Structure formats: structure tokens, C-alpha cells
Amino acid sequence: MAGKITLDLTDDNDILVSVGVLSKLPVVNASHTAIKKWIDDGMPYELQGRRRVFPISKAIKWLIEHGKIDVSTEILDEFDRTQLPPDLRDKLASAELKEFKLAKEKGLVVEKEVVERQAYEIGKKLKDALYAMPVRLADELVGKKSNEIRNRMEEEISKILEDIIRDIENAV
């Protein structure tokens, strides 16, 4: 049974792993070819005889700092943020804040209170329109057959819902 592994990226007593093990780490998930390219780009490793081994925390720090792997929420499922070095935690928080501000400027983020107020107003309008329907239709429907009453009520409900949908579309 596989368990979740937390890596302490601040640990000086780093675990050494082979290319095969490094490539299979969920946070890395890369081919041997990609790892060899990263070595050429400067990713830290040590030699044990003629074999390259990688200090996990140093390798992952290097990969994050050089943009080779993305520190996203997917990776943060594997990592406890507190295990990241403070400078990387700050970079991550800063990047998330910038993304949030950009999304807000683009209108992709709306404040909770605005959404709640609009939902309340739409719900109130729907409730008021439905409660007013019997009063509006009572005189018109007196003496009508049940299928005529049903059809007229369905028309009225459809009109009310179309008005609500138009209001929602205009609010967005």
C-alpha cells in the first residue's frame, strides 16, 4: 500500500536517489532524457563511483527555481507548504496573489457578497413573480377547462423564468 511522503526541502541530511527513482517521483514525473538535460542545465547531483545520484531536496529545489516543474496546487498535494524553503513559499504566495489580482481585473473573480446579493435579488424576484401569478390569472382562468388552465400557467411560468434568465445574463 502506497503512502504519502513528505519531503523536507530544508533538510541538510538529504536522501540520495538514482535517475530511475527521481524520474518516478510524482512531483518530478519526467523521462530519463529530461533528467539528463536538466543535469546539463546544472541540476545538482553527486557521483557514487561512476553512477549519478541526486539529493532529492536539492534536486527538487533546483527544478522549482529553474521552472522545470510547476509549483501548483497539484504538486502542493504532494508537498506540505511548510516543508518548502521560506523564499520559495514567498514566491509561491506572491505568484498566487498576482494570479488572483489579474483574474479580478479581468472580471473572472467576483466578491462573495456581490454574488450573494445578486442571488438574493433574483430569488426574491422569482418568488414575488410566482406569488403574484394566481392573482394576475384568476379572473382570466375562471370557467376554463383544466388543460387550458395548465397551458396558460405553463406560459406564464415560462415567461417568468425567461425574465429571470435575462436578468442573470445581464448581471454577468
Side-chain angles (χ1 to χ4, degrees):
M1 180 196 267
K4 190 171 182 178
I5 297 172
T6 302
L7 298 175
D8 184 351
L9 296 182
T10 61
D11 189 358
D12 291 331
N13 301 317
D14 216 346
I15 298 169
L16 299 173
V17 296
S18 67
V19 172
V21 171
L22 183 67
S23 71
K24 290 177 184 161
L25 288 173
V27 71
V28 176
N29 192 25
S31 68
H32 290 243
T33 306
I35 292 175
K36 287 177 183 170
K37 173 144 180 22
W38 295 339
I39 291 167
D40 292 341
D41 292 343
M43 184 171 70
Y45 67 90
E46 296 176 15
L47 288 175
Q48 284 185 343
R50 292 179 16 186
R51 185 173 159 224
R52 289 183 177 135
V53 290
F54 302 87
I56 292 178
S57 68
K58 287 179 185 149
I60 292 175
K61 273 190 211 177
W62 185 90
L63 291 168
I64 293 169
E65 289 170 351
H66 290 83
K68 306 296 183 183
I69 57 176
D70 181 27
V71 181
S72 64
T73 46
E74 198 174 294
I75 287 175
L76 290 174
D77 287 343
E78 300 296 324
F79 278 34
D80 177 359
R81 281 182 190 235
T82 61
Q83 300 296 315
L84 293 170
D87 60 325
L88 290 179
R89 284 197 310 263
D90 290 347
K91 285 179 186 177
L92 177 61
S94 177
E96 288 174 342
L97 183 59
K98 285 178 186 174
E99 286 178 20
F100 175 76
K101 286 180 179 178
L102 180 62
K104 191 172 180 180
E105 286 174 13
K106 288 182 175 181
L108 302 174
V109 176
V110 181
E111 292 178 9
K112 177 183 168 193
E113 293 77 19
V114 172
V115 174
E116 288 173 342
R117 186 177 61 248
Q118 288 176 344
Y120 172 80
E121 289 170 4
I122 289 169
K124 185 176 182 322
K125 183 175 181 178
L126 176 61
K127 180 186 88 169
D128 292 347
L130 289 174
Y131 277 137
M133 189 175 70
V135 174
R136 264 194 329 272
L137 298 180
D139 291 339
E140 176 186 335
L141 298 177
V142 170
K144 302 282 184 178
K145 294 181 181 177
S146 62
N147 65 335
E148 292 174 311
I149 293 171
R150 185 182 59 250
N151 290 340
R152 182 63 183 105
M153 289 180 72
E154 286 175 355
E155 287 173 12
E156 190 67 19
I157 290 170
S158 291
K159 181 183 177 299
I160 290 168
L161 293 175
E162 287 171 8
D163 288 345
I164 295 294
I165 290 169
R166 192 178 333 63
D167 288 349
I168 292 169
E169 288 171 344
N170 290 336
V172 176

